[in-house]
Amino acid sequence: MSDTVNTRSEIVFITDAQDSNPNGNPLGENRPRRDPVTDQAVVTDVRLKRYLRDQLIDDGHGVFVKKTDGTSATRAELALDVLDDVTSEEDLEEVDVEADFLAAATDVRYFGATLSFNADDEGLEAAVAEHFNSGNYTGPVQFSPARSLNATELNDESSMLTSVISTGGDNDVGGYGLDDHRLKYAIFPFHGLVDEHGAEDTGLSEADVRRLDTLCWRALKNQTISRSKVGQEPRLYARVEYAKDGFHAGDLHNGFELESDHSKPDAELRNVTDLTLEVKPFIDRLANAADHIETVHVVGSEYLELSYDGEPVGTAAELPSILEDHGISATEIDVYADYEETLPADD
Amino acid sequence: MTESSGATAGHGTGDWEAPVISDGVPDRCLQCTIRADWGHFRRIDRTVTKQTYRIPPRTTIAGLLAAIAGLDRDSYYDAFSLERSAIGIEVLEPVRTMTMPSLGLGTNPSETFERAGGTGRKTVQVEYPDSTTNRQIHSYEYLVDPAYRLSIATEDQAVYETLANRLDAGTSHYTPSMGLSELLATVTTPEAVETSVGSVAGDGTSVSVASAIPDATDAVIPQPGQTQHVERVPAAMAADASGRWTTDYADYAFAGGESIEAAPAELSLGTVGDRAIAFY
C-alpha cells in the first residue's frame, strides 16, 4: 500500500487514575491489578487497546474486535464475505478482499488479528492464505502493560457497594455487599512502539499514526465513563517520530519518575496536583538521540507539573517548549482541532 | 530481506567476519543485553495456563536476533542451528514472576470462531474469533523485569554481518520484544559489540560460570546457600512447508544474577570479557 507509514515511532502515554479501578483482575474479585511485591498498580495492554477500539467505534471507524454488547457496523466482516465469490486462484486477482478487509478493519491495521481459511481445494486455500499473509497479522502498533510509578493503596471507604433488595412484601428489606475496590491514586506510563516494517503487513498508514495522536487522548477522556473507570485522565502523550534508519531509543517510559522534593509520599498521593514528574532521564535520552529524531508530537495536561533535575520547569502542556530548549524538535498536538482530519470520510 | 540502513562508518563489508566455532566455542562473539518490564516465554508443555520459562529458549533468542537483523520467518533456523552457532545466556537479575489473567477472544476453531465467505468446499471460507461473545479468561504468568546478557556467534557470514551491523548501530529491523509482541524490550550493547572469546583458566575441576549452564546439570557443583534453578527449554527447531517443530531440548541450570560453580569437563566454555560463559 502506497501510503504505508515508513518511519518508526516510540510512544509514551502517561495516564492517571484517582479513586478508580483502571483494570480489575477477573480472577481476584475484580480488584485492581497490583504487583504483590511492590504494590505498583498494573494496567494491561489489553485494557488500553479496548479503550482505543471503543473510541474508534464511536468515531465511526470499522473495528474487527468489537464490544461484547456492541452493535457497531461490521464492515470488516462484510469485506470477508466477498470470499464467497472466490472459487479459483484467478479470482483473487479480481477481488482485492485483503485490501478491503484491512481498509475496513481499522483496529487490525493497528493491533493485528488472526484468521484461518478453509477450502477443500488445497491450491486455493494456499493461495488465499498467502494472499492474507497466512492469516497472521502482527500488529505494528504495540503497547506494553503499564506499571504505576507509585506504590498504590486501595480505597477501603469504597470497598463495598450495598444493593438493597426485598424478596417479598412481608419480608424485611436486606442488603448484600458487592465488592468494589478502587485505587486511591496511581499514575501510569504506557510504552508504545510503531514498527514501520510491521506496518507493511497491515497497511498501517501515515493517517492511522496521526490518528493515534488524538485517539489515545480522546479515548481516555471519553471511554472511562463506567462507574469503576471514572477518575482516569490522560496526562502526557509524546510520540517520538524517528528518522528512517531503524533506530529507536527504547525504554522511554522509564525516563519519568516522581520528583521527591515536590511530590507527596506515595501513601499520601490522591490527585495529580500532589506530584511533580521528573523528566530529566527522558529529555536527556532524547537529546542524545536527537540526530535520529524527526520530531516529537506532544500533548500534555496543564495540571501535571514537570521538573528537570529537581527544578520545576512548567506543566506537561509546556513540554514542547521544554524539549525545544534542549535541542529536540517538538510539535504540539491540538487534539480537538486535529482529530476531525482523521475521521472516516462520509459514505 | 530488505535493508533500509545498517552499516555505520568504519564497519563496511568485511569488517565483520563470521567466527569459527570449534568444540562448541567460538573464537569471537557479539554481545548485547536485553531488558524489559515484562517477559513471557510460553512453556510448550502447558495448555490452559500460560506458564513461562524463566530463561528465554535458544529458539526464542534466534527469533529475537532474526527480528533485529530483519530475517524472514523460517529463514534463519540453519544459521542458528546447534552445529553452526553458539549462544551463551546470562540471567542478570533474580527471576520473579507475576500471574495476570486477561479476558481474550477464544481461539478454539470448533467452538468460538465465526465464519464468513463460502461453504469451504469449492469456495473459500474464513474463520476468525467471534468478537461479540463473552471473552474467555486466560491466565498468563509474566516475568517481572527480566534481563539477559547474550553472547552470540554464528558461522553464517551474511547473518553474522547483518546482526553485527544492526547491534553496532543500535538499530533493529523489526522492533524487539521479550517473548510476546506487546512486551517491548530494550537492547543495549557494550561499546565494542564484538569481542574475542578466550579460553577458560582453572584447575580442571571447578570453574565459576557466569552464564546459564546448558545440558550439563551433572556438571553443576552445588554451593551452600545458593538457590539454583534447572529448566528444560527448547534448543533448536526445524521447518518445512507443513510447519515448524522443536528438534532438541536443553536443561539449563542458572542462579539469577549469580555465578555457578561447575566442573568444566562436559561444557563448551569460553571467556567473554572477564566472565566464563558456557556456550550451546
Side-chain angles (χ1 to χ4, degrees):
Chain A
M1 276 161 230
S2 56
D3 67 340
T4 299
V5 66
N6 57 15
T7 54
R8 185 170 303 181
S9 288
E10 187 170 4
I11 295 169
V12 175
F13 182 36
I14 299 178
T15 70
D16 69 353
Q18 179 181 351
D19 193 23
S20 173
N21 183 356
N23 193 195
N25 180 344
L27 292 183
E29 301 171 317
N30 206 38
R31 289 166 193 271
R33 290 169 197 264
R34 292 202 302 166
D35 183 320
V37 174
T38 63
D39 289 335
Q40 289 168 297
V42 175
V43 176
T44 62
D45 58 302
V46 177
R47 179 61 261 186
L48 176 62
K49 286 186 285 194
R50 186 70 262 162
Y51 289 138
L52 299 181
R53 285 190 169 104
D54 288 349
Q55 188 60 46
L56 286 171
I57 291 170
D58 282 1
D59 288 345
H61 295 280
V63 165
F64 186 59
V65 180
K66 296 177 280 278
K67 296 185 187 185
T68 46
D69 56 353
T71 52
S72 68
T74 56
R75 289 188 292 165
E77 189 180 334
L78 293 177
L80 289 170
D81 275 333
V82 180
L83 283 170
D84 197 5
D85 300 329
V86 175
T87 57
S88 70
E89 293 174 39
E90 289 74 46
D91 290 344
L92 287 170
E93 309 305 320
E94 308 282 319
V95 205
D96 198 346
V97 57
E98 189 205 22
D100 289 351
F101 168 66
L102 289 173
T106 306
D107 60 333
V108 175
R109 296 201 301 279
Y110 288 117
F111 309 130
T114 300
L115 310 172
S116 66
F117 302 97
N118 293 328
D120 270 1
D121 182 340
E122 270 187 30
L124 182 56
E125 183 186 5
V128 173
E130 190 177 343
H131 202 69
F132 275 87
N133 200 20
S134 300
N136 293 313
Y137 292 105
T138 301
V141 177
Q142 297 289 344
F143 287 97
S144 278
R147 260 197 308 247
S148 64
L149 293 172
N150 58 311
T152 57
E153 295 190 354
L154 290 178
N155 199 340
D156 297 327
E157 288 73 32
S158 69
S159 68
M160 198 73 95
L161 279 176
T162 307
S163 184
V164 181
I165 54 163
S166 164
T167 52
D170 298 331
N171 294 341
D172 286 341
V173 172
Y176 67 93
L178 298 167
D179 281 341
D180 181 45
H181 303 281
R182 303 185 188 200
L183 298 172
K184 288 179 176 174
Y185 184 77
I187 182 163
F188 300 97
F190 282 96
H191 185 212
L193 270 180
V194 180
D195 181 345
E196 76 280 20
H197 290 111
E200 293 165 11
D201 292 343
T202 67
L204 185 79
S205 69
E206 297 277 359
D208 289 332
V209 176
R210 269 208 325 280
R211 183 180 305 113
L212 266 187
D213 292 345
T214 62
L215 186 73
C216 289
W217 199 266
R218 293 172 58 245
L220 259 286
K221 286 277 188 191
N222 298 340
Q223 304 303 325
T224 54
I225 48 174
S226 69
R227 181 178 51 74
S228 68
K229 297 289 177 266
V230 163
Q232 297 182 75
E233 289 286 338
R235 295 301 179 187
L236 177 63
Y237 173 95
R239 176 169 66 85
V240 183
E241 186 176 343
Y242 290 102
K244 299 173 186 174
D245 61 359
F247 177 90
H248 71 274
D251 216 19
L252 283 183
H253 62 306
N254 285 337
F256 299 87
E257 54 200 43
L258 298 179
E259 207 287 308
S260 52
D261 290 347
H262 298 87
S263 302
K264 291 182 179 174
D266 283 7
E268 295 172 25
L269 293 176
R270 297 290 178 272
N271 189 294
V272 68
T273 60
D274 292 339
L275 62 91
T276 292
L277 210 54
E278 171 64 41
V279 296
K280 184 176 190 298
F282 171 70
I283 287 182
D284 289 356
R285 194 110 209 245
L286 291 185
N288 284 337
D291 288 351
H292 296 283
I293 295 174
E294 288 291 328
T295 189
V296 186
H297 303 264
V298 185
V299 54
S301 160
E302 58 194 21
Y303 297 109
L304 175 59
E305 299 285 343
L306 305 181
S307 66
Y308 181 88
D309 208 12
E311 295 299 316
V313 287
T315 70
E318 297 162 74
L319 183 61
S321 63
I322 300 168
L323 288 168
E324 296 275 4
D325 289 345
H326 287 84
I328 304 156
S329 164
T331 308
E332 201 164 336
I333 300 165
D334 186 340
V335 172
Y336 292 94
D338 293 350
Y339 92 91
E340 293 183 338
E341 292 175 18
T342 59
L343 288 175
D346 288 336
D347 290 334
Chain B
M1 180 166 49
T2 52
E3 282 293 277
S4 56
S5 75
T8 51
H11 289 296
T13 310
D15 273 11
W16 305 104
E17 203 173 316
V20 177
I21 300 173
S22 57
D23 294 335
V25 183
D27 60 345
R28 271 165 296 132
C29 71
L30 303 170
Q31 310 172 82
C32 69
T33 297
I34 175 167
R35 288 178 186 274
D37 287 1
W38 309 96
H40 180 80
F41 309 113
R42 192 168 77 83
R43 293 183 65 109
I44 60 175
D45 51 355
R46 299 290 189 275
T47 51
V48 176
T49 55
K50 321 287 187 192
Q51 282 178 274
T52 182
Y53 294 115
R54 267 61 174 164
I55 77 171
R58 202 179 180 285
T59 48
T60 305
I61 293 170
L64 171 76
L65 299 175
I68 292 170
L71 307 174
D72 289 337
R73 185 186 168 97
D74 294 346
S75 72
Y76 56 85
Y77 304 148
D78 183 53
F80 291 107
S81 66
L82 296 177
E83 292 75 29
R84 300 190 66 196
S85 67
I87 294 175
I89 309 165
E90 290 167 77
V91 182
L92 296 183
E93 305 283 351
V95 176
R96 178 160 80 87
T97 65
M98 179 174 156
T99 301
M100 277 199 290
S102 62
L103 297 175
L105 294 173
T107 52
N108 186 337
S110 58
E111 289 177 7
T112 52
F113 270 38
E114 275 191 292
R115 291 169 188 81
T119 59
R121 293 185 183 279
K122 290 266 167 50
T123 56
V124 176
Q125 188 178 68
V126 61
E127 293 191 341
Y128 53 91
D130 180 358
S131 68
T132 60
T133 61
N134 287 329
R135 268 53 171 174
Q136 295 176 339
I137 294 181
H138 302 277
S139 215
Y140 281 85
E141 183 190 32
Y142 289 96
L143 297 159
V144 180
D145 293 325
Y148 307 96
R149 190 189 290 128
L150 306 177
S151 302
I152 310 141
T154 169
E155 291 181 334
D156 186 310
Q157 173 65 29
V159 169
Y160 187 80
E161 198 171 317
T162 308
L163 190 59
N165 278 323
R166 284 291 185 186
L167 290 175
D168 187 53
T171 65
S172 56
H173 185 87
Y174 296 107
T175 54
S177 65
M178 196 67 98
L180 294 175
S181 55
E182 67 269 27
L183 307 181
L184 303 174
T186 302
V187 177
T188 54
T189 54
E191 193 129 327
V193 69
E194 187 185 58
T195 184
S196 58
V197 178
S199 56
V200 173
D203 57 9
T205 58
S206 176
V207 174
S208 187
V209 180
S211 71
I213 296 175
D215 246 11
T217 48
D218 288 348
V220 172
I221 303 167
Q223 298 298 307
Q226 185 181 56
T227 304
Q228 297 168 351
H229 311 266
V230 177
E231 196 161 58
R232 187 173 181 78
V233 295
M237 61 185 180
D240 64 14
S242 68
R244 52 185 186 173
W245 63 93
T246 304
T247 55
D248 200 7
Y249 293 85
D251 294 302
Y252 275 91
F254 59 95
E258 294 180 49
S259 294
I260 291 182
E261 289 297 317
E266 303 296 317
L267 303 176
S268 298
L269 290 172
T271 301
V272 177
D274 56 358
R275 310 178 310 277
I277 302 294
F279 286 94
Y280 189 69

